[in-house]
Amino acid sequence: MSAPLSENAIAVLSQQGHSLMTGDSVGERYSVDFTSENAFRPSAVVRPGSTDEVSHVLKTCHELGQPVVVQGGMTGLAGGATPQAGELALSLERLTGIEELDAAAMTITAWAGTPLQVIQEAARDAGFHLPLDFGARGSCHIGGAIATNAGGNQVIRFGMTRNLVLGLEAVLADGTVISSLNKMLKNNAGYDLKQLFVGTEGTLGVITRAVLRLYPKLESTCTALCAVRSFDPAVRLLRELQGKLGGSVSAYEVMWSPYFDRVIRHSDSLRSPFDRDYPIYALVEAEGSDQETDSRRFEEVLAGALEAGLIDDAAIAQSEKDRQAFWNIRDGVAEITADLLPYASLDVSMDIAEMAEFLDQFDTELKEALPDAINLVFGHIGDNNLHLFVSTRREGDLKTIFDIGYRLTGAHGGSVSAEHGIGVLKRDYLHLSRSPEEVELMRCLKQALDPRGILNPGRVIPA
């Protein structure tokens, strides 16, 4: 049951002619993000179709002190887009489409509500590559990806979403439009204002349009699944590949055996390419310009790694079908976690040198506190990111799992959120990764740009 919004706010927005849904017309999709936690159907949803409309909505809400939760594709994993009592949901789903693809500048300009996959395909059709990719590509909005500084599978080569954003248009809490749709790689004319909106999860302003950097389309792809005996050679293998493949390594995904084995066991279509089990598996991908030359070099480097003892075995994809089969194992988390509900999903990062000790300590403390806990681990590793899916299938154990995991993450100098954001679910753990001075500066920025605290209140910054 939802709490009533200000009747005055609804009346004023309706009079302004905005696309407003109220009461029973509000669908369930506006009630919760992908976490499915703390679902709450908002009393009203406004769906602006232009930057001017976003500006008018926020100006009205600012004047009336009406809290607003900003929503995109609802694929977030931190509870940031899930409504709370008394909030108006501001959905950007009508702000969609490619505005321009500039081949000379190698940029693409899109509205915030455009699905990532639509932008990827537009770039591909024009002979370019947008190196931002993750499982929710078909439903996530580019505005949300920017607002959370999304990561994905190619960060190791191209960086986070932040590295791909050249220009932004955003609307402040009081309706002021900040339009800086820059296409230039170099622009040091004062403060880089777009960074106020990248990764700040809609708490400082609402992104409406973005200019993204494109890269030349890559003509070759080499993929292998490698079997490794421990974490140390897995790290050494990554550095060996990066050193000898000339910077072409675009993905390096490491899966520990409990995760790998569970995916294989729970899938009728997936098979391990190896005739025995190994402690760790590394999915490696390199992209370049000539398939024949790149494949030969790729195989030579892997053969050298095998001879040097960095890997115990390797299966090289001989077709796109093979490649997809390897990636389906890595992406099999979506299939296996349904059986583990409720589970704790930890998205953490730290210095690679800290990872092995962190995982050992986490396993030890987890078994002491919850002996029957299942811990499934995989990670991008090269970009410092670990994903842990932990379950006892008991709701009451989740806080214990999070407390242990995040406390140890902080103790190892890591981040409680590598790529999924803070939102609501990690807000109370932020102090483990940020100093009091940093948090206070965040509060100052919030107060300066949103003095009435209407934008995504209660997200990111602890009370």
Side-chain angles (χ1 to χ4, degrees):
M1 184 174 181
S2 55
L5 298 173
S6 163
E7 293 183 5
N8 193 24
I10 294 176
V12 172
L13 291 170
S14 297
Q15 290 169 6
Q16 291 174 345
H18 295 292
S19 177
L20 192 69
M21 297 185 296
T22 60
D24 294 339
S25 65
V26 177
E28 292 300 322
R29 76 173 302 273
Y30 304 101
S31 300
V32 69
D33 69 4
F34 195 73
T35 64
S36 298
E37 294 190 38
N38 307 316
F40 190 97
R41 190 170 72 175
S43 294
V45 179
V46 63
R47 304 186 303 144
S50 69
T51 300
D52 283 345
E53 287 187 41
V54 174
S55 175
H56 291 153
V57 169
L58 291 182
K59 181 179 179 181
T60 298
C61 291
H62 174 76
E63 291 173 350
L64 298 173
Q66 172 60 56
V68 175
V69 57
V70 187
Q71 296 185 338
M74 303 302 283
T75 60
L77 294 167
T82 298
Q84 298 178 17
E87 293 180 341
L88 169 73
L90 175 67
S91 172
L92 301 181
E93 60 192 334
R94 293 180 59 221
L95 284 181
T96 185
I98 307 295
E99 187 174 64
E100 179 193 52
L101 194 153
D102 187 332
M106 291 180 64
T107 63
I108 190 166
T109 305
W111 288 94
T114 310
L116 173 59
Q117 188 170 340
V118 171
I119 303 175
Q120 289 174 331
E121 291 173 352
R124 190 179 306 122
D125 291 345
F128 295 104
H129 175 56
L130 177 69
L132 175 64
D133 190 40
F134 41 86
R137 66 185 69 84
S139 50
C140 78
H141 293 178
I142 191 61
I146 296 170
T148 56
N149 189 29
N153 300 326
Q154 295 192 310
V155 171
I156 191 174
R157 181 171 178 180
F158 298 103
M160 300 280 280
T161 300
R162 183 186 308 280
N163 300 79
L164 305 176
V165 178
L166 294 178
L168 277 184
E169 180 181 77
V171 184
L172 302 184
D174 65 358
T176 301
V177 178
I178 304 296
S179 189
S180 183
L181 296 172
N182 169 75
K183 293 182 181 179
M184 299 171 288
L185 291 179
K186 287 185 175 181
N187 183 354
N188 280 340
Y191 297 168
D192 189 358
L193 295 177
K194 68 177 180 290
Q195 300 300 342
L196 291 171
F197 312 106
V198 181
T200 52
E201 302 183 48
T203 60
L204 302 182
V206 178
I207 297 166
T208 52
R209 284 188 290 172
V211 181
L212 303 172
R213 181 183 183 184
L214 301 178
Y215 286 80
K217 186 177 180 180
L218 299 169
E219 300 297 334
S220 75
T221 303
C222 302
T223 310
L225 188 61
C226 303
V228 188
R229 67 177 66 111
S230 67
F231 183 71
D232 179 63
V235 176
R236 290 163 54 206
L237 172 64
L238 169 61
R239 301 311 179 206
E240 181 80 0
L241 293 169
Q242 289 177 314
K244 293 190 174 179
L245 290 177
S248 66
V249 177
S250 57
Y252 193 81
E253 304 288 318
V254 174
M255 298 165 279
W256 275 255
S257 57
Y259 172 80
F260 185 93
D261 295 344
R262 195 175 188 90
V263 171
I264 296 297
R265 288 199 311 269
H266 280 70
S267 174
D268 294 330
S269 60
L270 298 177
R271 298 286 183 275
S272 172
F274 307 114
D275 56 9
R276 52 158 289 195
D277 297 333
Y278 293 93
I280 291 179
Y281 302 85
L283 175 58
V284 183
E285 193 155 89
E287 297 174 286
S289 59
D290 183 87
Q291 189 66 57
E292 182 177 351
T293 301
D294 295 337
S295 293
R296 182 170 60 252
R297 182 60 181 157
F298 188 70
E299 292 176 12
E300 289 173 355
V301 172
L302 286 178
L306 183 64
E307 184 176 347
L310 296 182
I311 58 177
D312 290 351
D313 203 351
I316 299 176
Q318 300 300 316
S319 64
E320 178 59 26
K321 182 179 179 181
D322 289 347
R323 174 184 176 272
Q324 194 57 57
F326 294 165
W327 275 104
N328 285 344
I329 297 174
R330 160 59 180 82
D331 295 336
V333 61
E335 293 185 28
I336 63 174
T337 49
D339 181 53
L340 297 173
L341 289 170
Y343 61 83
S345 172
L346 288 84
D347 157 51
V348 300
S349 62
M350 64 194 66
D351 186 340
I352 294 177
E354 300 285 334
M355 287 183 174
E357 184 179 354
F358 163 79
L359 290 172
D360 286 344
Q361 290 178 348
F362 182 72
D363 276 338
T364 298
E365 292 199 27
L366 187 64
K367 288 175 182 176
E368 289 175 355
L370 304 167
D372 60 342
I374 299 168
N375 182 23
L376 308 177
V377 184
F378 62 91
H380 310 297
I381 303 303
D383 57 24
N384 305 100
N385 193 180
L386 288 172
H387 293 290
L388 298 85
F389 284 81
V390 188
S391 175
T392 62
R393 299 188 176 90
R394 295 185 297 270
E395 186 80 27
D397 292 336
L398 296 182
K399 186 177 186 303
T400 298
I401 296 168
F402 284 126
D403 286 350
I404 294 172
Y406 292 143
R407 175 174 49 77
L408 289 174
T409 298
H412 285 273
S415 170
V416 297
S417 180
E419 60 180 350
H420 293 163
I422 294 296
V424 173
L425 301 181
K426 301 179 187 178
R427 179 192 59 204
D428 294 339
Y429 296 104
L430 182 63
H431 70 281
L432 295 171
S433 297
R434 293 289 196 176
S435 69
E437 293 79 10
E438 288 176 307
V439 174
E440 185 56 34
L441 180 56
M442 294 179 196
R443 289 197 181 97
C444 289
L445 286 170
K446 175 68 171 173
Q447 177 63 28
L449 296 180
D450 182 15
R452 302 200 69 179
I454 68 164
L455 279 180
N456 282 359
R459 280 80 170 177
V460 183
I461 304 172

